[in-house]
Amino acid sequence: MSTQLTPVVPVPDHQEERPPSSRGLSSLGGRRSLTGWVFLLPAALLILVMNFWPMFQAFILSLQTGRGAQLSFAEPLWFNYQRMLADQTFWMTLRTTLLYLVVQVPIMLVLALVLANILNNPRLRFKGMWRTAIFLPCAVSLVSYALVFRTMFATDGLVNDVLTGMNLIDSPINWLGQTQTAQFVIIIGLLWRWTGYNMVFYLAGLQNIDHSTVEAAKVDGANAVKTFWYVTLPQLKPMILLTAIMSTNGTIQLFDESYNLTAGGPAYTSMSVSHYLYEVSFVQNPNFGYAAAISYVILVIVALLAAIQLKVGDKRD
């Protein structure tokens, strides 16, 4: 009996694909990282040269004293900061600036939010015209609008003529010559110019809100006020935080209205702290070291207020 042998067919070996070595991956990642830094380096150098280097120089300048270009390091080095503690004009201008911040910013943001909610109504006619009209003041030159307001609130200006014609006042009011009224004019000017600017941010936020959440609230029986408070407002929280920080930053650094509207008068009572910094630098006997110290105090105040707003506004777990 013969035995038939089954031929053995050789099975070709399949080469297993080997993953690239870790050295290859690291070198590829390194090249990508290096390429990114090459693109970022010019911008980073510009930021360093144009922003951080002047800040460092300003800090060195705040440790110096003298008049004009004849400066030397103070004895002690913190002399300018020590002088600031006893400077009554500085504290008065700082209180005035904080008054503008506390009164004007909340009113402006609430008014901007209300206007944005009204102008976001799809049934409102001529929405484009209303939006443009409210936003247009922030496109006007700061000097131009300040001069217009200065003319309107002059003793023989339009505001006094209208109030007298309506028998609301017996004699013209010296709006720019009294402390409270001069501060009131600056607040009105700030509201007129910047409310529309913040309204645009809120309009953008409202148009990005998921409309289904609003419809769900209406189906559940919520009225317009509750829908806005519990549904719309929480979704606008990032935009509200952004506008609050920007408005706080801008108000602390307020200069144009104080300089052009009231010239800081009467007797520095409507002057902002940034306006006082300008006075110390260029109007009075130039003292750049003391002015640099004031600028650093403004920087610290802005940073602290922004940090507090971020901390209060961030409710993430």
Side-chain angles (χ1 to χ4, degrees):
M1 185 173 70
S2 62
T3 304
Q4 188 175 1
L5 297 176
T6 304
V8 179
V9 179
V11 179
D13 294 334
H14 294 284
Q15 268 190 332
E16 296 183 358
E17 295 183 1
R18 296 182 178 180
S21 64
S22 59
R23 180 181 298 177
L25 285 176
S26 62
S27 62
L28 178 61
R31 286 197 298 271
R32 288 180 177 176
S33 177
L34 181 61
T35 303
W37 275 109
V38 168
F39 281 103
L40 286 175
L41 190 59
L45 287 176
L46 280 175
I47 293 173
L48 180 65
V49 172
M50 303 300 292
N51 287 337
F52 290 100
W53 178 247
M55 290 172 62
F56 174 74
Q57 286 185 313
F59 178 71
I60 298 299
L61 184 60
S62 71
L63 304 178
Q64 298 178 348
T65 186
R67 299 295 181 185
Q70 298 178 351
L71 298 175
S72 59
F73 282 99
E75 291 289 343
L77 283 176
W78 55 88
F79 171 78
N80 288 321
Y81 297 94
Q82 185 177 351
R83 171 186 172 182
M84 203 180 306
L85 295 176
D87 188 350
Q88 296 302 317
T89 305
F90 167 77
W91 288 108
M92 181 172 61
T93 56
L94 181 60
R95 285 194 299 268
T96 302
T97 306
L98 293 178
L99 174 68
Y100 296 148
L101 174 67
V102 172
V103 174
Q104 175 258 336
V105 170
I107 295 175
M108 177 181 63
L109 296 185
V110 171
L111 188 58
L113 191 57
V114 171
L115 289 173
N117 197 51
I118 294 173
L119 296 179
N120 194 50
N121 188 346
R123 294 187 297 272
L124 181 67
R125 300 180 63 184
F126 308 113
K127 287 190 294 185
M129 182 192 71
W130 294 117
R131 292 174 181 178
T132 303
I134 297 174
F135 175 76
L136 199 58
C138 76
V140 178
S141 166
L142 285 166
V143 176
S144 301
Y145 106 83
L147 293 177
V148 170
F149 266 70
R150 189 178 180 89
T151 304
M152 288 174 55
F153 284 93
T155 307
D156 56 349
L158 177 64
V159 174
N160 277 328
D161 290 344
V162 171
L163 294 177
T164 304
M166 297 175 63
N167 295 321
L168 295 177
I169 58 175
D170 297 326
S171 59
I173 299 174
N174 186 8
W175 293 96
L176 304 178
Q178 304 176 62
T179 299
Q180 287 76 17
T181 53
Q183 293 172 349
F184 172 78
V185 171
I186 289 180
I187 291 173
I188 292 296
L190 291 170
L191 290 174
W192 178 82
R193 192 174 197 278
W194 295 111
T195 299
Y197 179 82
N198 290 282
M199 182 200 70
V200 170
F201 286 94
Y202 294 148
L203 268 175
L206 286 170
Q207 291 171 5
N208 288 326
I209 287 178
D210 188 0
H211 192 65
S212 62
T213 58
V214 178
E215 292 297 329
K218 292 179 179 178
V219 170
D220 289 340
N223 57 27
V225 176
K226 287 186 177 180
T227 301
F228 177 76
W229 187 261
Y230 293 106
V231 178
T232 304
L233 201 60
Q235 297 184 71
L236 282 178
K237 181 180 172 182
M239 199 63 71
I240 294 173
L241 182 61
L242 172 67
T243 54
I245 292 175
M246 290 194 307
S247 300
T248 300
N249 191 356
T251 305
I252 293 295
Q253 300 178 71
L254 178 68
F255 173 78
D256 295 270
E257 287 77 7
S258 173
Y259 182 80
N260 293 302
L261 260 177
T262 64
Y268 295 96
T269 54
S270 67
M271 180 179 287
S272 66
V273 67
S274 294
H275 186 183
Y276 181 58
L277 188 156
Y278 169 82
E279 291 273 330
V280 171
S281 298
F282 303 109
V283 177
Q284 303 173 6
N285 291 329
N287 192 333
F288 298 119
Y290 185 50
I294 295 176
S295 70
Y296 255 84
V297 170
I298 296 174
L299 173 65
V300 171
I301 293 173
V302 169
L304 286 176
L305 291 176
I308 292 172
Q309 288 171 330
L310 284 171
K311 186 65 176 178
V312 172
D314 188 5
K315 297 296 183 182
R316 292 174 297 181
D317 294 331

